[in-house]
Amino acid sequence: MAETGVPGPISVAVLALPESTAYVLFGVKEVLESVGPVWGVVTGGAGETPRFDVAIVAAGTTPFRCAGGALVAADTTFAGNRSFDIVVVSDLTISPDADPRGSWPEVAPWLARRHAEGATIASVCSGSVLLAEAGLLEGLEATTHWAYAPGYARAYPAVQWCPERILCIAGEGERLVTAGGAASWEDLVLWLVARFCGPAEASR
């Protein structure tokens, strides 16, 4: 994977919904924010300029508790006009048997607009449902947690669901990335670092 040439810092939106889990939400944020500053410190040198500028995006700026009870305070909202290079959707604690269609009338169009502007849209685990709801995955391969795959296939039959995959990279410019189970957020973050900052930075 080669660097994309996007000048740093690379802007990242991490979506925070009431259904989001804290360990994925904050894990993605913390790891991306460590790219640049941490390597020099742990190797006895000086920390470098952060390579990613990460913002938590939610419906409003009033702090709320996500799944599991952790408090989330958003940096900006879906109503804002801020553009991003990357948008990451965390996993969602929803029932695998529920029909998800129409569940996120504000978020799905926001995702579609960010993709149309050129952002790379990524998801973790069950969060791929938001990409499907936004119409971004039609005719493409995508992965998700295996428990959600049957229900998602019923709701979005135009998507080629591949729950056996850890990562699926699809779409024009490879700007749609879905990750499988919840722990696969680590694979996703390493892929994003390699894609936008180069493989050497991902190895660090």
Side-chain angles (χ1 to χ4, degrees):
M1 291 173 285
E3 296 186 34
T4 63
V6 175
I10 299 149
S11 59
V12 182
V14 181
L15 268 60
L17 304 177
E19 303 95 333
S20 302
T21 64
Y23 86 100
V24 173
L25 177 67
F26 293 117
V28 169
K29 176 176 168 62
E30 182 175 354
V31 172
L32 289 178
E33 287 179 336
S34 76
V35 179
V38 171
W39 178 254
V41 173
V42 299
T43 56
E48 299 175 2
T49 301
R51 301 297 301 273
F52 294 94
D53 176 21
V54 185
I56 293 179
V57 183
T61 54
T62 301
F64 66 95
R65 296 194 181 277
C66 66
L71 192 64
V72 178
D75 301 300
T76 187
T77 71
F78 299 122
N81 295 319
R82 182 174 173 182
S83 297
F84 295 94
D85 299 309
I86 304 169
V87 177
V88 180
V89 182
S90 72
D91 59 331
L92 302 174
T93 54
I94 58 178
S95 170
D97 300 322
D99 186 343
R101 289 172 290 187
S103 297
W104 302 277
E106 184 180 19
V107 185
W110 185 88
L111 273 180
R113 289 195 298 271
R114 299 293 82 79
H115 184 259
E117 291 172 355
T120 294
I121 311 295
S123 66
V124 177
C125 190
S126 54
S128 57
V129 68
L130 271 172
L131 279 66
E133 182 69 8
L136 299 177
L137 299 179
E138 291 191 10
L140 301 175
E141 291 185 343
T143 188
T144 192
H145 190 285
W146 57 266
Y148 290 84
Y152 288 2
R154 289 191 297 271
Y156 309 100
V159 181
Q160 301 175 42
W161 295 104
C162 308
E164 73 281 0
R165 303 266 292 275
I166 296 297
L167 290 177
C168 276
I169 298 130
E172 182 180 356
E174 297 186 334
R175 291 190 296 113
L176 295 168
V177 190
T178 52
S184 62
W185 73 266
E186 298 175 355
D187 300 272
L188 173 63
V189 167
L190 287 174
W191 188 91
L192 290 171
V193 173
R195 171 73 180 270
F196 284 83
C197 302
E201 195 65 70
S203 295
R204 289 181 174 184

